[in-house]
Amino acid sequence: MKIYRCLAVTKRVFRDLKNDRRTPALMFLAPLFAMFVFGVAFSGDVKDVPVIVVNADEGSTAQGVWISLSEEIISQLDRQMLDITTLKSADEARNDVEHGRALAAIVFPEHFTQEVITASFPGEIQVIIDRSNPNVANPVLKSITAAMTGTMQEIGQEAPITIHEDSIFGKNASFMDYFFPGILSFVAYLLTILLTLITFVGERVSGTLDRLLATPLRESEIVTGYALAFGLLGTLQSAFLLTVGVLVFKVTVVGNVAVAFVVIALLAVVSQSLGILLSGLAKREVQAIQFFPFVVLPAFLLSGIFWPIEAIPSWLRPASYMIPPTYAVDACRDVMLRGWGLEKIWIDIVALVGFASLFLMIAVLSLRRRD
Amino acid sequence: MQLVKKFGTVTAVDRLDLTVSEGEIYGLLGPNGAGKTTIIRILSSLLVPTSGEAYVLERRVPDKSIASNIGYMPQETALDTGLKVTELLEFYGEIFGLPRSAIIEKENELLRFVDLEAWKNTLIAHLSGGMKHRVSLACALIHDPCLLFLDEPTVGVDPELRLAFWDHFHALKDTGTTILITTHYMDEARRCDKIGFIRRGRIIAEGSPTELLEKTETTSLEDAFVEFSRQEVTP
Ligand SMILES: Nc1ncnc2c1ncn2[C@@H]1O[C@H](COP(=O)(O)OP(=O)(O)O)[C@@H](O)[C@H]1O
Ligand SMILES: [Mg+2]
């Protein structure tokens, strides 16, 4: 293996891209377009969600003044997002949620204020919520929590309940924040596979691959050259998207961006090997297009881009762990939302390195196969 | 040797014995589907023979170690159409590990030879078929190989340039290059030192153009080929 030959291949990929305006446009503008579409469609502007409030709280008199913390919390709820109806009975409220007439019900118990103020019991708010659509449920939960924490801060006490989701999504994470690491991984995966798949089917069909293999250039050098090129392209692409994400969509990145780039570069290497592999199965360029659904759908549905892996039926979950983007999405999210470093996402990195080595090897073998 | 190559049930090369001597231009002559391309691809280490042995530069093929001494020009144009002419030549120069200055020098020489100096910054995709063929030949020559495999190098090349190609092949031969060339143009085969008539994967006659004409008492190689085919069928 000679590095100058690998680099010659890498250079050829970039020369090809330089002469062709459409492919770079596809690599950089298509994900941007997707981001805008999703950004607008899901930007967290959840509005007029029917929510029921059942307030049995009797309030409490402290130093001669009657106060009701529940009233205070209710007044702080986001009325843009929540369309609030008041009911008397918790059972009735639950029934409404169960039948889809309301997305959530917030129930304040009878001695809520008293318990919180005297701190005799931890005050407890019951939130009955329909979580079938996390894209709605999460912002709603967040808004309830915000109202509650706001009120508690005013009286200088800890929140009576903590809502689990809040810790997962980070304090102020919007849907875009959550979605963004997913789209970085997804476009790196998808576009790299499609580009290498089409390029290599072309190389096989036109005979340029034969011509290359009749020179001292080895299969492993071709694959390495391409891996370098696409690793670099993946990094450039995510740097570009990240810049737009931060500037336009106000995406917050908590962790070290460099770690996220390493993850994306690895994913791009995995994807380009997959592209080369698949190219061996296609006899003509059109046939390559028939692979697209098999490439796109599993990644789209199973890798946790839009909804968490935990939301996927357990019998299907092993499939999630068999596709590489899952690890990249997970790692990027950990880095960008939770601020985790290499020491915590190493399992994902190991998985991606494993996939990369395996697929690179098979890709080399698939080029070596002669009839 | 007794080289055999089968594709499924099709026998493309059938117990073939063939020797090309150093420094000669050997022409493989035969109709489409005779097995010419398959032979060249085996000798270029791109196909593994089904049985038999083939040696190139004293190495049994397939063997990667001799690749840097071989120039291969495939039958189909097989060029990366997304590159400019100079970029493609430079890429091939880089693969062979040539220093930058040598690449530039050789590139200019070859562009002059294939008469594409005016097109050197054009994308391959925008060239005509004949021009692509000329680029393809230039790619095979960038590293001054001592052995050339040329698969139908003159298809789609206009007559004037075809003459120039042959002049160049003879110039290369004079510098000691060995050339194995396939063609189905009988007229240009006259300019080979030795010809092998090939039919259904077998050599049916071999010799210098004049020898072959004398043996069959014909005046054109085309007639000679027909005569040998007839003899094959009725031995
Ligand atoms: N990859 C292949 N798969 C199946 N058959 C092939 C393949 N390559 C060549 N052949 C068959 O082998 C025979 C010889 O082909 P080829 O060597 O291309 O002939 P020529 O170059 O003399 O026209 C033909 O019958 C062709 O159909
Ligand atoms: Mg042929």
Side-chain angles (χ1 to χ4, degrees):
Chain A
M1 180 120 127
K2 287 274 192 298
I3 197 73
Y4 68 82
R5 289 202 291 257
C6 302
L7 292 178
V9 173
T10 309
K11 209 160 132 190
R12 189 178 75 141
V13 175
F14 280 101
R15 279 169 165 166
D16 256 327
L17 287 178
K18 174 180 65 73
N19 292 334
D20 167 30
R21 300 224 169 71
R22 253 170 308 163
T23 313
L26 177 77
M27 290 199 81
F28 290 93
L29 298 182
L32 207 58
F33 176 71
M35 242 162 69
F36 273 99
V37 171
F38 285 118
V40 171
F42 294 100
S43 59
D45 275 358
V46 178
K47 274 200 183 123
D48 303 326
V49 180
V51 169
I52 298 168
V53 171
V54 179
N55 191 1
D57 184 19
E58 291 171 339
S60 172
T61 314
Q63 290 141 13
V65 189
W66 182 85
I67 55 164
S68 164
L69 288 177
S70 53
E71 296 287 349
E72 182 61 28
I73 293 174
I74 293 166
S75 74
Q76 286 203 15
L77 287 173
D78 180 350
R79 306 269 161 171
Q80 288 251 313
M81 182 191 285
L82 310 179
D83 177 10
I84 296 171
T85 332
T86 317
L87 281 183
K88 287 270 178 284
S89 141
D91 290 339
E92 215 177 307
R94 169 177 287 275
N95 194 38
D96 276 1
V97 174
E98 276 172 3
H99 288 85
R101 288 190 288 268
L103 185 100
I106 310 168
V107 182
F108 295 91
E110 210 172 324
H111 303 294
F112 178 68
T113 305
Q114 203 175 357
E115 282 170 358
V116 173
I117 290 185
T118 58
S120 53
F121 291 96
E124 228 173 62
I125 301 174
Q126 194 189 357
V127 178
I128 304 158
I129 188 159
D130 168 7
R131 287 209 226 173
S132 56
N133 185 347
N135 299 330
V136 179
N138 292 330
V140 167
L141 273 173
K142 210 165 57 181
S143 138
I144 297 171
T145 319
M148 201 174 59
T149 1
T151 310
M152 292 305 131
Q153 266 162 5
E154 274 173 25
I155 66 160
Q157 269 184 332
E158 290 289 308
I161 61 163
T162 46
I163 291 171
H164 188 55
E165 276 70 15
D166 193 43
S167 61
I168 288 178
F169 289 102
K171 278 271 176 291
N172 299 304
S174 69
F175 178 69
M176 203 56 193
D177 293 342
Y178 177 76
F179 174 62
F180 195 74
I183 200 163
L184 278 189
S185 314
F186 186 62
V187 296
Y189 167 79
L190 187 63
L191 291 178
T192 310
I193 288 201
L194 297 191
L195 272 182
T196 37
L197 179 56
I198 291 172
T199 310
F200 268 82
V201 174
E203 299 244 34
R204 285 173 197 271
V205 173
S206 71
T208 47
L209 184 63
D210 272 356
R211 189 179 201 129
L212 291 179
L213 291 176
T215 71
L217 192 63
R218 289 172 188 282
E219 295 85 348
S220 54
E221 291 162 347
I222 297 179
V223 172
T224 309
Y226 267 88
L228 284 175
F230 280 98
L232 200 58
L233 277 173
T235 313
L236 287 177
Q237 191 188 42
S238 34
F240 167 74
L241 292 181
L242 198 64
T243 311
V244 177
V246 170
L247 294 180
V248 179
F249 293 102
K250 312 276 181 264
V251 167
T252 30
V253 180
V254 187
N256 184 352
V257 181
V259 180
F261 287 167
V262 170
V263 172
I264 298 288
L266 272 174
L267 180 67
V269 171
V270 171
S271 315
Q272 67 95 25
S273 336
L274 256 175
I276 296 177
L277 265 175
L278 289 176
S279 76
L281 304 175
K283 291 264 180 313
R284 277 172 292 118
E285 258 124 336
V286 234
Q287 287 184 350
I289 295 170
Q290 296 165 346
F291 293 139
F292 287 11
F294 299 99
V295 170
V296 181
L297 286 179
F300 200 79
L301 300 174
L302 298 178
S303 64
I305 293 170
F306 296 102
W307 45 87
I309 304 278
E310 289 72 22
I312 292 166
S314 55
W315 59 269
L316 202 55
R317 227 170 287 163
S320 291
Y321 291 108
M322 280 181 327
I323 57 174
T326 304
Y327 298 93
V329 172
D330 185 53
C332 281
R333 221 161 253 166
D334 283 348
V335 171
M336 293 168 63
L337 289 173
R338 295 175 165 159
W340 287 3
L342 279 174
E343 73 286 350
K344 280 196 173 163
I345 60 160
W346 64 271
I347 294 184
D348 290 318
I349 301 269
V350 166
L352 285 171
V353 170
F355 274 117
S357 334
L358 181 70
F359 289 163
L360 283 171
M361 245 156 47
I362 307 177
V364 171
L365 291 178
S366 80
L367 290 182
R368 196 167 286 167
R369 202 200 63 201
R370 311 264 163 82
D371 30 27
Chain B
M1 300 260 276
Q2 289 279 310
L3 198 63
V4 177
K5 177 66 193 179
K6 293 185 181 170
F7 295 108
T9 55
V10 180
T11 306
V13 176
D14 190 8
R15 288 161 290 150
L16 182 93
D17 288 304
L18 172 78
T19 308
V20 181
S21 315
E22 205 178 316
E24 75 179 0
I25 301 183
Y26 189 108
L28 272 178
L29 217 66
N32 277 324
K36 306 181 296 290
T37 298
T38 307
I39 295 170
I40 295 250
R41 285 166 56 81
I42 289 174
L43 298 178
S44 312
S45 294
L46 293 172
L47 289 176
V48 182
T50 311
S51 68
E53 294 159 20
Y55 291 85
V56 176
L57 301 171
E58 292 166 7
R59 297 294 197 117
R60 182 169 175 184
V61 284
D63 185 334
K64 199 80 183 167
S65 66
I66 49 173
S68 57
N69 301 315
I70 295 176
Y72 167 61
M73 177 177 172
Q75 180 171 359
E76 64 277 25
T77 322
L79 300 173
D80 185 333
T81 51
L83 294 182
K84 295 175 181 170
V85 176
T86 49
E87 289 172 339
L88 187 72
L89 289 173
E90 279 157 30
F91 168 66
Y92 276 97
E94 286 163 13
I95 285 183
F96 285 102
L98 304 181
R100 184 88 197 138
S101 57
I103 295 177
I104 301 292
E105 194 179 315
K106 191 74 195 170
E107 180 184 287
N108 289 328
E109 180 195 320
L110 287 170
L111 284 173
R112 222 172 305 126
F113 156 57
V114 294
D115 197 19
L116 284 176
E117 280 166 303
W119 301 86
K120 64 180 189 181
N121 289 320
T122 311
L123 280 186
I124 310 268
H126 297 159
L127 296 178
S128 73
M131 289 176 182
K132 285 181 190 157
H133 246 82
R134 279 135 72 184
V135 177
S136 174
L137 177 64
C139 284
L141 295 173
I142 190 92
H143 55 299
D144 285 319
C146 67
L147 177 59
L148 269 178
F149 294 137
L150 307 175
D151 200 356
E152 314 231 7
T154 54
V155 172
V157 175
D158 62 65
E160 206 179 327
L161 192 70
R162 209 195 289 177
L163 283 178
F165 268 26
W166 276 98
D167 288 341
H168 194 74
F169 297 156
H170 279 275
L172 286 170
K173 177 201 145 141
D174 292 340
T175 64
T177 311
T178 310
I179 303 177
L180 175 62
I181 194 167
T182 76
T183 180
H184 62 258
Y185 292 125
M186 302 286 174
D187 57 337
E188 63 183 29
R190 277 176 192 272
R191 300 194 64 178
C192 300
D193 298 319
K194 200 171 175 186
I195 294 174
F197 279 145
I198 177 162
R199 189 167 168 275
R200 296 193 189 157
R202 294 188 59 83
I203 299 270
I204 55 173
E206 198 178 33
S208 73
T210 38
E211 277 169 18
L212 291 172
L213 291 179
E214 279 167 14
K215 261 193 213 164
T216 51
E217 295 170 343
T218 49
T219 50
S220 82
L221 285 168
E222 200 149 358
D223 294 340
F225 185 86
V226 174
E227 180 61 25
F228 280 117
S229 305
R230 206 175 48 74
Q231 287 176 12
E232 255 271 302
V233 179
T234 53

